Amino acid sequence: MHPLRKAISVKGSREFSRNELVGLLAFTLRIMSVKEAKESVDAWIKQGLIEEREGVLLVKEEALDETTKGEDLFGEMAQFVSSSLGLGRDELMTELEEFSKRYGNLDRKLVLYLFGLDRGLDMSKFRDRLSLE
């Protein structure tokens, strides 16, 4: 799940002050450091995921939905692989990071797909949804 989605679910609103959003990401959710949270907020503004109005940050749900479409497939694949192999999400990410060193700079969905195949899983249900552009 995208960090902005997590922040919205904790607060229950799409509006944040900059300090509030950084605090949620760094302290409440503990998914990044303060520095990373500040950099992420700036990057999300540039990407158009957040609109800044008079000191208030407004998360644009439509833009976030577009961004997370690819994440949904990765999350679905990760859930399938981790449950099939009896691994926790953190264990899977650690093994996936090591596995990805073999292939260089490939899309992480493709690396996860190859990882599942390497472990003997039937990944055919994800094949058509992967874009190999």
Side-chain angles (χ1 to χ4, degrees), residues 64-94:
L64 187 57
D65 289 342
E66 287 297 315
T67 303
T68 57
K69 281 183 182 176
E71 283 293 317
D72 294 341
L73 176 59
F74 182 82
E76 195 177 322
M77 290 172 62
Q79 176 63 36
F80 172 75
V81 171
S82 64
S83 64
S84 297
L85 297 176
L87 298 172
R89 176 90 177 190
D90 292 338
E91 289 175 287
L92 174 64
M93 292 302 123
T94 301

Side-chain angles (χ1 to χ4, degrees), residues 21 46 60 62:
L21 183 54
K46 288 178 185 170
K60 297 166 118 182
E62 311 80 36

Side-chain angles (χ1 to χ4, degrees), residues 6 10 32-33 35 42-43 49 55 61 70 75 83 90 95 100 104 110 121 127:
K6 290 180 182 181
V10 168
M32 52 185 73
S33 70
K35 181 181 177 185
D42 290 336
L49 298 178
E61 297 252 21
S83 64
D90 292 338
E95 286 194 30
S100 70
L110 185 56
L121 299 178
R127 184 177 331 151

Side-chain angles (χ1 to χ4, degrees), residues 1-14 16 21 24-25 29 31 44 49-50 59-69 71-72:
M1 179 184 291
H2 195 281
L4 285 174
R5 284 253 184 258
K6 290 180 182 181
I8 290 169
S9 68
V10 168
K11 185 177 181 194
S13 171
R14 297 180 310 133
F16 301 91
L21 183 54
L24 276 170
L25 296 170
L29 296 171
I31 54 179
W44 293 331
L49 298 178
I50 298 175
V59 177
K60 297 166 118 182
E61 297 252 21
E62 311 80 36
L64 187 57
D65 289 342
E66 287 297 315
T67 303
T68 57
K69 281 183 182 176
E71 283 293 317
D72 294 341

